[in-house]
């Protein structure tokens, strides 16, 4: 076979083909070899005619140049963009046509924040309805109007109602995580404040854009400015410029000077940050910038600017002007709002953001607290008596009921639930918890004879109420009978600072008192002497101040097996649309005491209510402790009843403004189990009615005694005596700072020996003035040297320091 070129066809050849005119430069193309003969010169299926060009400049044809490809891609992109633009234009037109500008009258409802009870439907308070007065623009001074324009939107009368640069800047900040300052026009601000939420998101900005444009088309600039000035929140509960003028300067909006108007203009951006009472330097700096802007716009001459002086501002108004109820529930609202502020919410968001705030406070429990106080503190009781009740859910930390006094806002409003008062013997459970942690069981015996002197207070003996002595009572017996000498000595033994640590962990109290009252305790260490900062053994019988809410939380820690949960007033927060902004998840808490310690403290407290004649209905099990703080041998200043079940912990305090003697309608001394106990008992019975009964511990878990115990008595001896027999002064062992190793020693018998039987309950309050009716044999004349807050008349922490020989009595 003759050789041939691979591209030469082997089949018969027809006449040569000519390419169509104008293609290939007149040159013919040789078809590619198909690998087989084509009869009659036919082409294989799918082959292209000679001289044709593959689509897209494929192999065998001319390729597009890069310039051609770029032009083609550009045409496609432009066509796509044009299509999208048309679609967007249609979308914008439809949205604009369907967007309705809300009636300005709806603004007030949109801005009002509402506080609810725990059910989320029953209103407790409405913030924003109170301090608001709408005025026409003609009744706002020109100087004040110009000041607001200078601060917020100098081109207001010439702009289209929106600021594209502000929208782009806000969008960029959302992407980059920068400042959320929007730089919006007054029209946009009005739309945001009046009809939208304050969140900085793309969707909200998009809504703002359409509403602002349509608003600008439907209303005149004067109408928009008027509505804006009547809507804006200026702080201190003032909505609108008329209320602000009255709140800050005591004048009407028509009387505002340019300088006063500039003060208010500064507040528009951030009322809480630029209130001159809280940030005088920052407020005055921005005030000067506003005046400079007014000069730039020709709204003030330079001479007027140079002569301007920052105007005096009125002090903050009473809470009654801020929409807070004047009844007892009004004291709940500030606690809830303070909690929100602690979570980062601003005053403007809280009061003018249309929030829906659901608290943990149960309406039925709150009503039960108010009713219990009213039923016990009847009109015939002395006028100087004050009381507080705080009830906490140990499982969540949620405050279920909160009574701090009858006046919630305005004149006479004092929150006694936050008052700092000496707890007396209601402090003893923390001493027991510390001893238990050191291996000292509730059945360990200690010297409870009275009187006794201790090394840390020579010449100042500690006594039990009524002259009672018990030379070898178990700690559980001494708790039930509230023997001061036993628990003073026990605090000295285990270490007063250790008792303090236990109490702080259980209650969540801070290391130092916050500076909130202006009293002498502000800034001083908690549970310590405010002058020396030291904690002595008198902590064991309640010398150092606590608040009712602290005791409710501390006893809740025992109820929850040693798990501490901070008290909370907020359950959830939503906006006006129902979107959840904040929700308290299940509070796991922190294990601050061992479960065994909490078990045994509860076990030791189970007999107190019955012994104090404050048992709950149907024999419901409850752990409790009374407490009484004495002024002297004849009078008391404070009385407590604190107790819990696994589902509710309630503290009740009773006292007076300052440290006046507290006596009942029959002029008898008030003890913890008296009027406070009656309030506690009625509240607990009411709020627990119909709920399942809950078991408390049946036995202690910690056995033995690693401390300085005493032997059980072997001979009969009376447990009471009309006159106390002086006991020899013996030095108690030095305090320890470390917990000893646990012991496996078997526990002491839980039943008192025949010679140490617990006496029958003492007569009810007043029937036996020498015996503390709340525990029968509690401690009178115990601490010596009680300290008070000295905060001044009307202060819940006391008008004067208590006498230097203040004594806990039970």
């Amino acid at each position: 076979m003759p050789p041939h070129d691979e591209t030469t066809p082997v089949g018969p050849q027809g006449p040569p083909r000519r390419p169509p005119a104008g293609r290939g430069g007149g040159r013919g193309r040789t078809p590619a070899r198909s690998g087989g003969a084509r009869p009659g010169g036919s082409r294989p299926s799918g082959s292209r005619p000679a001289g044709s060009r593959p689509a897209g400049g494929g192999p065998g044809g001319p390729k597009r140049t890069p310039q051609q490809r770029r032009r083609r891609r550009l045409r496609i992109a432009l066509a796509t963009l044009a299509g999208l633009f048309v679609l967007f234009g249609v979308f914008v037109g439809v949205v604009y046509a369907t967007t309705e500008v809300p009636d300005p009258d709806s603004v007030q409802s949109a801005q009002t924040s509402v506080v609810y009870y725990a059910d989320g439907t029953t209103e407790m308070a409405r913030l924003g309805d109170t301090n608001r007065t709408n005025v026409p623009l003609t009744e706002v001074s020109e100087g004040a109007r110009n000041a607001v324009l200078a601060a917020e939107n100098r081109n207001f009368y010439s702009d289209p109602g929106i600021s594209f640069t502000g929208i782009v800047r806000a969008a960029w900040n959302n992407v980059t995580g920068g400042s959320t300052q929007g730089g919006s026009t007054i029209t946009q601000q009005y739309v945001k404040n009046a009809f939208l939420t304050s969140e900085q998101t793309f969707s909200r900005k998009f809504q703002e854009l359409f509403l602002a444009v349509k608003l600008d088309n439907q209303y005149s600039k004067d109408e928009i400015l008027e509505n804006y000035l009547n809507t804006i929140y200026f702080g201190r509960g003032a909505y609108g410029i008329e209320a602000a003028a009255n709140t800050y300067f005591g004048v009407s909006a028509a009387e505002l000077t340019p300088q006063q108007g500039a003060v208010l203009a500064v507040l528009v951006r951030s009322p809480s940050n630029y209130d001159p009472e809280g940030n005088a330097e920052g407020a005055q700096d921005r005030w000067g910038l506003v005046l400079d802007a007014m000069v730039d716009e020709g709204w003030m001459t330079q001479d007027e600017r140079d002569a301007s002086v920052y105007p005096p501002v009125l002090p903050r108004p009473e809470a009654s002007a801020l929409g807070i109820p004047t009844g007892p529930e009004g004291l709940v609202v500030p606690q809830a709002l303070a909690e929100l502020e602690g979570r980062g919410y601003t005053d403007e968001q809280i009061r003018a953001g249309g929030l829906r705030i659901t608290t943990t406070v149960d309406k039925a429990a709150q009503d039960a607290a108010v009713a219990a106080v009213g039923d016990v503190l009847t009109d015939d009781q002395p006028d100087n008596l004050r009381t507080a009740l705080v009830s906490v859910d140990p499982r969540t930390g949620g405050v279920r009921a909160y009574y701090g006094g009858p006046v919630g806002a305005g004149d006479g409003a004092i929150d006694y639930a936050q008052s700092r008062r000496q707890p007396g013997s209601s402090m003893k459970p923390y001493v027991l918890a510390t001893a238990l942690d050191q291996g000292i069981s509730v059945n360990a015996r200690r010297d409870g004879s009275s009187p006794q002197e201790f090394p840390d207070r020579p010449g100042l003996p500690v006594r039990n109420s009524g002259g009672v002595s018990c030379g070898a009572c178990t700690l559980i017996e001494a708790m039930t009978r509230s023997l001061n000498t036993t628990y003073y000595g026990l605090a000295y033994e285990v270490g007063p600072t250790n008792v303090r640590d236990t109490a702080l962990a259980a209650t969540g109290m801070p290391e130092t008192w916050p500076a909130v009252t202006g009293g002498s305790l502000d800034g001083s260490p908690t549970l310590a002497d405010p002058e020396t900062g030291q904690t002595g053994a008198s902590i064991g019988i309640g010398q150092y101040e606590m608040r009712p809410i602290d005791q409710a939380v501390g006893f809740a820690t025992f109820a929850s097996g040693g798990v501490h949960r901070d008290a909370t007033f907020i359950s959830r927060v939503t906006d006006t649309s129902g979107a959840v902004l904040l929700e308290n998840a299940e509070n796991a808490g922190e294990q601050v005491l061992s479960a065994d310690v909490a078990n045994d403290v509860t076990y030791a407290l189970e007999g107190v209510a019955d012994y104090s004649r404050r048992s709950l209905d149907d024999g419901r099990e409850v752990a409790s402790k009374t407490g009484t703080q004495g002024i002297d041998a004849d009078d008391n200043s404070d009385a407590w009843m604190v107790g819990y079940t696994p589902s509710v912990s309630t503290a009740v305090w009773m006292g007076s403004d300052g440290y006046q003697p507290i006596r009942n309608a029959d002029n008898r001394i008030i003890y913890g189990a008296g009027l406070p106990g009656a309030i506690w008992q009625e509240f607990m019975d009411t709020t627990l009615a119909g709920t399942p009964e809950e078991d408390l511990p049946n036995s202690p878990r910690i056995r033995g005694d690693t401390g300085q115990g005493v032997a059980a008595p072997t001979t009969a001896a009376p447990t009471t005596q009309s006159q106390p027999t002086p006991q020899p002064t013996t030095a108690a062992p030095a305090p320890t700072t470390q917990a000893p190793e646990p012991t496996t020693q078997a526990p002491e018998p839980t039943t008192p020996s025949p010679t140490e039987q617990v006496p029958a309950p003492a007569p009810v309050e007043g029937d036996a003035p020498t015996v503390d009716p709340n525990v029968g044999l509690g401690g009178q004349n115990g601490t010596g040297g009680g300290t008070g807050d000295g905060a001044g008349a009307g202060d819940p922490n006391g008008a004067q320091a208590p006498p230097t020989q203040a004594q806990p009595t039970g």
Side-chain angles (χ1 to χ4, degrees):
M1 180 179 291
H4 60 81
D5 188 276
E6 286 186 355
T7 60
T8 303
V10 296
Q13 296 294 314
R17 295 187 180 186
R18 295 177 180 275
R23 293 203 178 196
R27 291 190 313 180
R29 293 189 179 180
T30 303
R33 184 175 181 178
S34 64
R38 293 198 302 265
S42 64
R43 299 191 307 274
S45 175
S47 64
R48 58 181 173 79
S52 68
R53 183 173 59 189
K63 296 182 178 180
R64 290 190 178 94
T65 65
Q67 185 178 8
Q68 289 174 322
R69 288 196 296 270
R70 284 195 298 269
R71 283 199 299 265
R72 186 170 182 272
R73 285 195 293 266
L74 181 60
R75 286 195 298 270
I76 294 172
L78 289 175
T80 302
L81 186 61
L84 292 175
F85 185 78
V86 170
L87 290 176
F88 182 74
V90 173
F91 172 74
V92 169
V94 171
V95 173
Y96 182 83
T98 56
T99 297
E100 295 184 4
V101 177
D103 188 336
D105 292 339
S106 66
V107 173
Q108 180 171 336
S109 176
Q111 284 188 299
T112 300
S113 292
V114 184
V115 181
Y116 296 98
Y117 285 95
D119 59 12
T121 58
T122 306
E123 288 190 14
M124 183 183 298
R126 297 181 72 86
L127 310 175
D129 283 347
T130 305
N131 197 10
R132 183 196 300 268
T133 303
N134 293 339
V135 293
L137 189 62
T138 55
E139 293 186 16
V140 179
S141 71
E142 183 178 5
R145 280 181 276 163
N146 290 337
V148 173
L149 293 175
E152 296 299 315
N153 191 183
R154 303 185 198 184
N155 300 322
F156 170 72
Y157 278 97
S158 60
D159 66 32
I162 60 174
S163 169
F164 288 105
T165 57
I167 294 173
V168 171
R169 181 164 56 252
W172 175 253
N173 288 338
N174 272 280
V175 172
T176 61
S179 170
T180 57
Q181 188 61 48
S184 303
T185 66
I186 278 179
T187 307
Q188 288 175 264
Q189 291 183 48
Y190 172 62
V191 166
K192 180 188 71 174
N193 294 331
F195 312 122
L196 303 175
T197 65
S198 59
E199 60 178 345
Q200 298 289 328
T201 62
F202 291 112
S203 60
R204 208 274 298 158
K205 274 291 182 184
F206 195 70
Q207 288 178 291
E208 179 185 301
L209 172 66
F210 280 97
L211 281 171
V213 171
K214 200 157 192 177
L215 189 74
D216 197 69
N217 290 335
Q218 291 186 7
Y219 292 89
S220 70
K221 290 290 188 180
D222 281 350
E223 288 176 315
I224 294 172
L225 182 59
E226 177 182 306
N227 289 330
Y228 173 78
L229 292 176
N230 284 322
T231 301
I232 201 70
Y233 179 67
F234 288 92
R236 299 190 179 184
Y239 298 82
I241 195 165
E242 177 71 13
N246 184 264
T247 298
Y248 287 90
F249 302 108
V251 301
S252 67
E255 299 172 302
L256 287 169
T257 66
Q259 291 75 18
Q260 291 172 329
V263 172
L264 300 183
V266 168
L267 295 168
V268 171
R269 187 64 55 88
S270 180
S272 56
N273 289 336
Y274 293 114
D275 189 314
E277 187 172 294
N279 182 13
E281 182 178 355
Q284 293 185 31
D285 286 346
R286 290 192 62 84
W287 174 81
L289 295 177
V290 172
L291 294 185
D292 291 340
M294 294 176 70
V295 172
D296 293 341
E297 296 299 318
W299 296 329
M300 175 182 283
T301 68
Q302 186 62 52
D303 289 341
E304 291 172 330
R305 166 67 179 95
D306 294 340
S308 295
V309 177
Y310 195 85
V313 175
L314 297 176
R316 292 178 184 272
E318 293 290 337
S320 59
L322 305 180
I324 296 177
T326 57
E329 71 278 10
L331 297 176
V332 175
V333 179
Q335 298 299 322
L337 301 188
E339 187 173 325
L340 282 181
E341 290 176 354
R343 291 172 176 260
Y345 282 76
T346 66
D347 182 62
E348 182 178 11
Q349 288 174 314
I350 294 172
R351 298 188 179 278
L355 301 181
R356 301 298 181 257
I357 304 165
T358 301
T359 69
T360 61
V361 176
D362 180 76
K363 182 64 164 62
Q366 182 69 14
D367 289 346
V370 175
V373 172
D375 290 344
V376 173
L377 287 184
T378 54
D379 292 339
D380 60 338
Q381 296 293 345
D383 293 337
N384 73 323
L385 295 182
R386 306 288 183 263
T387 193
L389 181 154
V390 181
S391 186
V392 173
D393 186 341
R395 301 162 298 188
T396 65
V399 177
R400 300 180 70 249
Y402 188 89
Y403 181 92
V407 182
D411 293 338
I414 297 176
D415 189 351
Y416 292 98
Q418 300 291 329
S419 62
R420 306 165 183 172
R421 304 298 292 234
Q422 293 166 308
S425 291
S426 66
M427 190 71 190
K428 290 174 181 174
Y430 305 106
V431 184
L432 179 60
T434 308
L436 289 164
D437 190 57
Q438 296 184 12
I440 302 173
S441 78
V442 296
N443 293 314
R445 295 182 181 273
R446 291 294 182 274
D447 183 4
S449 58
S450 176
Q452 285 189 56
E453 286 191 16
F454 296 88
D456 62 336
R457 47 180 294 132
L460 292 173
V462 178
R463 293 182 173 85
N464 296 329
S465 179
V468 176
S469 283
C470 180
C473 276
T474 64
L475 296 183
I476 190 171
E477 294 168 353
M479 180 71 73
T480 303
R481 299 164 63 178
S482 201
L483 301 181
N484 285 336
T485 54
T486 297
Y487 275 90
Y488 188 102
L490 186 62
Y492 187 85
E493 176 184 341
V494 300
T497 58
N498 293 330
V499 176
R500 178 179 185 269
D501 291 343
T502 298
L504 293 185
T507 63
M509 292 172 62
E511 282 288 335
T512 58
W513 287 113
V516 294
T517 67
S520 62
L521 287 181
D522 285 359
S524 64
T526 54
L527 298 180
D529 188 292
E531 296 181 2
T532 66
Q534 301 298 310
T535 299
S538 54
I539 190 176
I541 46 180
Q543 175 177 341
Y544 308 120
E545 288 80 356
M546 303 177 75
R547 302 170 303 172
I549 192 170
D550 296 327
Q551 284 291 59
V553 172
F555 278 53
T557 299
F558 297 135
S560 61
V563 176
H564 167 76
R565 295 177 175 89
D566 289 332
T568 180
F569 288 83
I570 299 294
S571 174
R572 71 190 322 229
V573 179
T574 65
D575 60 19
T576 52
S577 68
V580 177
L581 305 177
L582 181 148
E583 188 161 21
N584 275 339
E586 183 175 348
N587 186 359
E590 179 183 1
Q591 190 81 43
V592 297
L593 303 174
S594 75
D596 288 352
V597 168
N599 176 91
D600 288 14
V601 169
T602 299
Y603 178 74
L605 299 180
E606 290 178 36
V608 174
D610 182 59
Y611 193 80
S612 304
R613 295 189 175 181
R614 292 301 175 193
S615 300
L616 301 186
D617 286 346
D618 301 322
R620 184 185 293 268
E621 294 182 359
V622 64
S624 62
K625 187 67 190 81
T626 55
T628 307
Q629 188 70 23
I631 298 176
D632 50 37
D634 298 320
D635 283 300
N636 297 330
S637 61
D638 300 271
W640 299 72
M641 182 81 179
V642 191
Y644 58 90
T645 68
S647 60
V648 58
S649 172
T650 303
V652 176
W653 163 86
M654 185 171 290
S656 65
D657 292 326
Y659 288 84
Q660 304 168 13
I662 52 174
R663 291 176 174 263
N664 64 14
D666 297 325
N667 198 34
R668 298 181 184 276
I669 299 172
I670 295 176
Y671 296 93
L675 298 184
I679 294 172
W680 177 87
Q681 182 182 42
E682 179 178 333
F683 171 80
M684 293 290 282
D685 280 337
T686 302
T687 196
L688 289 170
T691 64
E693 292 192 11
E694 301 162 297
D695 292 333
L696 296 182
N698 295 321
S699 62
R701 296 177 182 173
I702 297 174
R703 301 171 179 271
D705 182 3
T706 62
Q708 302 296 320
V710 296
T714 57
T715 57
T719 58
T720 61
Q721 51 192 16
S722 56
Q723 296 295 327
T725 301
Q727 301 293 319
T729 300
T730 57
T736 176
T737 57
Q738 294 184 351
E741 293 295 325
T743 177
T744 57
Q745 178 181 348
E748 296 286 344
T750 57
T751 303
S753 64
T755 59
E756 291 293 325
Q757 291 293 329
V758 176
V764 295
E765 179 178 299
D767 290 346
T770 61
V771 180
D772 183 343
N774 59 342
V775 291
L777 304 172
Q780 177 77 13
N781 298 334
T783 63
T787 57
D789 193 34
D795 191 300
N797 301 307
Q800 58 187 11
T804 57
Q805 294 296 319
Q807 313 292 330
T809 59

